[in-house]
């Protein structure tokens, strides 16, 4: 009851679910590489285009938090950048430009990475919100949002991938795929990550738990 009375907890759970579905769409990128880009070896290259910016961003996240004066501004701004990056991936994908796709993939990953690095701190702030509003400490239970989101989002994401491929007429044993399957692969790899990026950005725009806690502390006279 305490968990679900905390709107920020629910936002983090929803964000995690969206992130897992987003990841499921990118993980099926191997099919996009094989049937659209005609080079399955590009899958590992795109993976590095994600991982390297994430590593860099994780290293500078503390500095970014200080520079942007808080987690909220940094996370929201990061996902705005990530959304712009995914728009670039869509345009580059339809242009057939692999270098541009890699560039915009890296930009999107760079914007999304800080949230991965500071999510634990945001969960701690959510726990403080419960304490300030309900006078109960549930720090350990509050962190269940991570496992809950991963399990629900991972399951839904995997199921969606299977359903969409089946609906499109994809046949794994075929060397070539029907036009409907090619179109679906473009939707799954280009458009759906963009859609979930927008959803996460909207959630993060409302997740200013820092300001909510500060207001509650002022009202209660807590330093």
């Amino acid at each position: 009851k305490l968990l679900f009375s905390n709107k920020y907890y629910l936002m983090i759970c929803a964000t995690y679910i969206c992130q897992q579905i987003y990841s499921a769409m990118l993980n099926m990128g191997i099919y996009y590489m094989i049937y659209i880009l005609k080079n399955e070896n590009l899958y590992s290259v795109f993976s590095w285009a994600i991982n390297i910016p994430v590593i860099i961003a994780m290293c500078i996240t503390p500095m970014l938090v200080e520079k942007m004066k808080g987690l909220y501004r940094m996370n929201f701004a990061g996902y705005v950048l990530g959304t712009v990056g995914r728009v670039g991936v869509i345009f580059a994908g339809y242009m057939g430009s692999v270098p541009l796709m890699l560039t915009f993939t890296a930009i999107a990953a760079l914007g999304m990475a800080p949230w991965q690095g500071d999510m634990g701190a945001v969960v701690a702030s959510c726990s403080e919100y419960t304490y300030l509003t309900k006078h109960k400490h549930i720090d350990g239970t509050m962190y269940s949002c991570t496992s809950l989101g991963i399990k629900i989002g991972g399951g839904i994401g995997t199921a969606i991938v299977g359903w969409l491929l089946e609906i499109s007429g994809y046949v794994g044993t075929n060397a070539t795929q029907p036009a409907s399957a090619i179109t679906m692969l473009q939707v799954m790899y280009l458009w759906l990550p963009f859609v979930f990026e927008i959803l996460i950005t909207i959630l993060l725009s409302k997740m200013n738990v820092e300001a909510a806690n500060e207001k509650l502390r002022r009202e209660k006279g807590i330093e």
Side-chain angles (χ1 to χ4, degrees), residues 179-194:
S180 58
I182 297 300
T183 299
M184 183 62 79
L185 290 176
Q186 290 176 318
V187 169
M188 293 170 69
Y189 191 72
L190 300 179
W191 287 100
L192 288 184
F194 168 66

Side-chain angles (χ1 to χ4, degrees), residues 72-95:
Y72 169 74
R73 288 191 183 91
M74 183 187 64
N75 291 330
F76 178 54
Y79 260 84
V80 169
L81 176 62
T83 301
V84 172
R86 291 311 305 182
V87 171
V89 172
I90 292 172
F91 280 102
Y94 283 104
M95 289 169 57

Side-chain angles (χ1 to χ4, degrees), residues 5 19 38 56 58 60-61 63 74 82 93-94 108 110 114-115 120-121 124 175 182 188 199 203 211 217 221:
S5 66
Q19 283 178 316
K38 308 297 184 181
I56 293 172
M58 295 280 272
I60 63 174
T61 292
M63 181 185 69
M74 183 187 64
Y94 283 104
L110 189 67
W115 164 252
I182 297 300
M188 293 170 69
L199 291 176
L203 287 167
R217 285 194 296 267

Side-chain angles (χ1 to χ4, degrees), residues 35-207:
Y35 297 107
I36 296 180
L37 297 183
K38 308 297 184 181
N39 184 354
E40 62 182 294
N41 294 326
L42 284 173
Y43 183 72
S44 60
V45 179
F46 274 85
S47 296
W48 279 112
I50 294 172
N51 293 332
I52 291 176
V54 167
I55 293 170
I56 293 172
M58 295 280 272
C59 292
I60 63 174
T61 292
M63 181 185 69
L64 291 175
V65 173
E66 183 177 355
K67 186 175 182 61
M68 301 193 74
K69 296 180 170 52
L71 301 173
Y72 169 74
R73 288 191 183 91
M74 183 187 64
N75 291 330
F76 178 54
Y79 260 84
V80 169
L81 176 62
T83 301
V84 172
R86 291 311 305 182
V87 171
V89 172
I90 292 172
F91 280 102
Y94 283 104
M95 289 169 57
S97 173
V98 172
L100 276 179
M101 286 185 73
L102 288 168
T103 299
F104 285 115
T105 294
I107 290 172
L110 189 67
M112 296 166 60
W115 164 252
Q116 298 179 40
D118 67 35
M119 188 277 300
V122 178
V123 176
S125 294
C126 288
S127 183
E128 182 183 8
Y129 181 81
T130 293
Y131 176 72
L132 291 171
T133 54
K134 305 296 183 181
H135 311 294
K136 297 285 186 180
H137 281 294
I138 53 170
D139 298 5
T141 311
M142 186 65 68
Y143 278 90
S144 67
C145 62
T146 57
S147 59
L148 178 66
I150 289 172
K151 288 170 182 171
I152 295 177
I156 293 174
T158 302
I160 289 175
V161 168
W163 291 334
L164 293 180
L165 288 176
E166 184 177 0
I167 290 170
S168 73
Y170 172 84
V171 181
T173 55
N174 290 358
T176 59
Q177 299 296 330
S180 58
I182 297 300
T183 299
M184 183 62 79
L185 290 176
Q186 290 176 318
V187 169
M188 293 170 69
Y189 191 72
L190 300 179
W191 287 100
L192 288 184
F194 168 66
V195 169
F196 284 102
E197 190 94 25
I198 290 177
L199 291 176
I200 295 172
T201 303
I202 292 171
L203 287 167
L204 291 179
S205 73
K206 300 179 181 299
M207 205 184 297

Side-chain angles (χ1 to χ4, degrees), residues 6-22:
N6 186 328
K7 63 181 180 180
Y8 298 107
Y9 172 82
L10 297 177
M11 288 180 193
I12 292 182
C13 286
T15 300
Y16 248 92
I17 291 170
C18 288
Q19 283 178 316
Q20 291 301 308
I21 299 174
Y22 173 96

